[in-house]
Amino acid sequence: MPLVKTWQLIAVSAVAGLALSAATVAAAGPWDSGQRKAERVKAASWGRTGGADHGADTATALPQAAPSAPGVLAGVRPAGAGSGDASGDQAGAADSGALAAALRPLLADPALGTARGASVIDTATGKVLFEAGAREAMTPASTVKIATAAASLAALGPDHRIRTTVTPGAGPGQIILVGGGDPSLTAKKKAPAGSGGSLVALAADTAQALKAAGTDSVALGYDDSLYTGPVLHPIGENPNLAPVTALTADEGRPDESFSGPVKRSTDPSRDTARAFAALLKERGVKVTGEPAKAKAATGAVPLAATLSPPLAGLVERMLTHSDNDIAEALARQTALASGAPASFDGVARAIGAKLAALGVDTGGSRFADGSGLNRADKISAGLLTALLAKAADPQRPELRPVLTGLPVAGFTGTLRTRNSGGSPAAGLLRAKTGTLSGVNSLAGTVVDPTGRLLAFAFLTANTPEAGAAEKGLDKLAAAVANGS
């Protein structure tokens, strides 16, 4: 009998090890390739939350341990399960009745203001489990970012990346920094928010290309003409949003923050070009004079380029931290992809049209911006749950980051301190918050005790006090998580 050689033993062991690893991963599933990308790039930072007025400053709060799910949780029920016989229909009706009985008194809480919209649906079957004013278009605040996310993913796909380039200018010795609208672009050596477009890398590549061509002195122009219309949001200067331009580094922030309100640059395009000039000088390229606005030639071949993370990652970061700057950038990218102007007016047309193309009812909706800072935004609770159900549809995997980017109750982003501790929703519920003065909203998903993936949305108006309204919304969401 021939001897077994050492290399044969190694090969057999390797194959066996791979098989065991594959079996382990399969058993631990299901897995979503987009799951928690934002967390992996520190989107669960314990810093200040993003967006407008999403609660008190938590900068001094200590991090909490990640909450654990109950010991046994039923698998998510596939479409059609439990509806094949009369007993299943009766059980579903009983579940709906118990949920309605639990939600109605909570929805009547005076802390929730004078107008409310509510919708809870089973994402697998589309069955309405509870609704109250679900078709009434209301000011959604930051929950409109769910619509912005769905529209941008539908228009561009989750793998799309936004380019910032440097091209030769019209005259000798001139180069032009061309903005593509990348909201992740940073001038810092270590990006505070994780991976993204890097002016540092772009300067290094540009300097290398210039030196290879025998150039060590340039005049720098910058082109931010991709976006049109006013750069200031209709609310004017605001610490929750920089002027919206196609060339902005670090969201126009003057400090090391990457989320939350802070006074912004009044001219992000010029400041970004100045930062780029300084980076070129550090790499041995002299920049003569001040950077000046210029127009890149159509079809010019770039000397160098830097890319944003895939759109899926930007969507997750936007939703987790309620990032208004990313939201407005993605809204303009949606407009560009739809052939509309990259302006607030173009956004208003493009987002509604893209959502309607997904097959959801957008009647009464208005998308005055992408972030929800504009009170002219109008959306219904029913539209929000319909979009969440679309994102959960196995036939629409490109929309999945809408779900994976939602903050986790008691754990991440703008929900880190809400429905935490002993709440039945802690660690299980994922939702987008929304807060403006007198407006509070919450919309997301949760797997209920029977294994159904439910989508819910609660919108309120004329709330007397934000803290009390948030507690009321959290009680509603916990009741959905609890199944009654």
Side-chain angles (χ1 to χ4, degrees), residues 13-89:
S13 298
V15 171
L18 288 172
L20 179 59
S21 298
T24 302
V25 171
W31 291 90
D32 184 337
S33 61
Q35 181 72 21
R36 304 319 309 144
K37 291 179 186 173
E39 291 176 7
R40 288 200 301 272
V41 293
K42 213 176 179 182
S45 166
W46 302 114
R48 299 177 70 174
T49 56
D53 305 317
H54 281 283
D57 181 5
T58 59
T60 59
L62 292 175
Q64 302 175 28
S68 299
V72 177
L73 182 67
V76 177
R77 191 180 66 184
S83 59
D85 55 35
S87 63
D89 292 338

Side-chain angles (χ1 to χ4, degrees), residues 2 83 97 105 139 160 236 272 312 320 435 462 478:
S83 59
T139 299
H160 178 75
T272 300
T320 298
T435 308
N462 305 315

Side-chain angles (χ1 to χ4, degrees), residues 111-142:
L112 297 179
T114 61
R116 302 93 187 261
S119 173
V120 183
I121 66 173
D122 184 329
T123 64
T125 65
K127 180 180 178 180
V128 175
L129 303 179
F130 177 78
E131 63 180 11
R135 302 292 170 263
E136 295 296 321
M138 300 174 62
T139 299
S142 278

Side-chain angles (χ1 to χ4, degrees), residues 50-54 117 119 136-151 315 318-324 327 351 355 365-367 369-374 377-388 402 406-407 414-415 418 429-436 439-445 456-461 470 473-474:
D53 305 317
H54 281 283
S119 173
E136 295 296 321
M138 300 174 62
T139 299
S142 278
T143 53
V144 82
K145 290 182 174 76
I146 291 173
T148 302
V315 164
M318 172 188 71
L319 293 172
T320 298
H321 292 289
S322 198
D323 192 304
N324 298 309
I351 292 181
L355 297 182
S365 297
R366 182 184 176 190
F367 302 96
D369 65 8
S371 62
L373 289 172
N374 197 327
D377 288 325
K378 298 296 176 185
I379 196 169
S380 69
L383 175 54
L384 285 171
T385 53
L387 290 173
L388 291 166
V402 174
L406 294 173
T414 56
L415 281 189
R418 295 176 58 175
L429 178 143
R430 310 180 75 120
K432 181 70 200 74
T433 55
T435 308
L436 293 170
V439 174
N440 298 90
S441 54
L442 191 67
T445 63
F456 65 87
F458 301 109
L459 305 178
T460 69
E470 288 177 357
L473 291 171
D474 289 348

Side-chain angles (χ1 to χ4, degrees), residues 192-209:
S195 60
S198 171
L199 277 184
V200 177
L202 184 62
D205 291 344
T206 301
Q208 184 178 18

